[in-house]
Amino acid sequence: MITGNLEYVMSSLPHLMFKDGDEERFRVLSIFEKYADPISEDSSPVAILEEQAKKFLSQNDFLVFRQIDLNSIHSEHFQKSRNPVLSAFSHHAFWLKSEIRQLRISRRKGVESSSSIKTLLPESPGNPLSEEIQLLKWQWAKLEDLSIGHYSDFEALCIYKLKLLILLRWWGFNPKKGFDVFLNLSKSD
């Protein structure tokens, strides 16, 4: 269990919900800005969270914490982690990534997919943005399941960071840019 001021920091961080909107973004981001070190060059919410956590984690735990990233969470490194939350979420992310890849290949070839995730997605591909948001929602749901019994320990902090990364990814989507990328990728096929 994490002791000392990190419990206070964790309890004073904004409660994260799988929501999007100006009010939700402002509520979360403004609290992180209050924690920002005025000297720091990077005042992103993730950098601020890492900066606060570093003060209270062992060097080994901080190295693990700092490596947490949505782009690499599915890697073998995290799957073999001694941290049960990171390992479980990594396996889930790897499974999800594999299933989606298989489903998208099947859709492209116009054949029936054997992916078990196809029952969760619409029969015909929807708008790519809504499908990406659905993937983030499934990841969020897994983190909610994994959070049971973890309130102020290192695993809770890892879950918090993953949730923050999911929200920042979602909030960073730009529908116009995404549609332009989609059109360019579609032309190259």
Side-chain angles (χ1 to χ4, degrees), residues 32 40 42-53 161 164:
F32 276 104
S40 177
D42 186 2
S43 61
S44 72
V46 174
I48 294 166
L49 178 62
E50 288 174 351
E51 183 180 307
Q52 293 300 312
K161 183 176 180 182
L164 181 62

Side-chain angles (χ1 to χ4, degrees), residues 91-108:
H91 278 91
H92 177 74
F94 182 80
W95 170 82
L96 191 59
K97 191 174 184 77
S98 300
E99 291 293 307
I100 292 299
R101 182 172 184 259
Q102 182 181 358
L103 181 64
R104 287 179 177 161
I105 289 171
S106 297
R107 283 180 176 172
R108 190 177 304 137

Side-chain angles (χ1 to χ4, degrees), residues 20-184:
D20 188 17
D22 291 339
E23 186 177 319
E24 183 68 16
R25 291 178 190 199
F26 177 77
R27 183 183 66 78
V28 170
L29 299 177
S30 65
I31 292 174
F32 276 104
E33 287 173 5
K34 290 178 185 176
Y35 279 103
D37 184 350
I39 301 170
S40 177
E41 292 178 21
D42 186 2
S43 61
S44 72
V46 174
I48 294 166
L49 178 62
E50 288 174 351
E51 183 180 307
Q52 293 300 312
K54 184 178 184 177
K55 298 173 187 175
F56 305 101
L57 295 175
S58 70
Q59 188 174 13
N60 287 341
D61 282 348
F62 180 70
L63 289 174
V64 169
F65 185 71
R66 192 161 194 185
Q67 291 174 354
I68 297 172
D69 181 55
L70 288 180
N71 293 326
S72 63
I73 194 67
H74 64 281
S75 71
E76 190 175 343
H77 166 74
F78 286 111
Q79 289 182 33
K80 291 183 176 183
S81 174
R82 287 185 285 151
N83 181 315
V85 165
L86 289 178
S87 178
F89 187 73
S90 179
H91 278 91
H92 177 74
F94 182 80
W95 170 82
L96 191 59
K97 191 174 184 77
S98 300
E99 291 293 307
I100 292 299
R101 182 172 184 259
Q102 182 181 358
L103 181 64
R104 287 179 177 161
I105 289 171
S106 297
R107 283 180 176 172
R108 190 177 304 137
K109 292 181 178 178
V111 297
E112 180 70 22
S113 172
S114 62
S115 171
S116 60
I117 205 162
K118 71 180 180 178
T119 59
L120 302 172
L121 288 174
E123 183 74 26
S124 61
N127 124 11
L129 178 58
S130 63
E131 286 191 5
E132 286 299 320
I133 293 170
Q134 182 61 49
L135 293 173
L136 294 175
K137 191 174 186 178
W138 289 332
Q139 291 176 45
W140 188 278
K142 181 63 174 181
L143 290 170
E144 285 289 315
D145 290 344
L146 292 171
S147 70
I148 296 171
H150 298 286
Y151 305 104
S152 60
D153 56 7
F154 181 61
E155 286 78 9
L157 187 62
C158 293
I159 290 168
Y160 191 90
K161 183 176 180 182
L162 286 163
K163 283 182 171 183
L164 181 62
L165 289 168
I166 287 171
L167 286 179
L168 293 175
R169 176 167 166 72
W170 182 18
W171 295 347
F173 288 156
N174 180 323
K176 178 167 177 13
K177 274 185 176 177
F179 187 68
D180 291 343
V181 168
F182 173 73
L183 288 177
N184 287 335

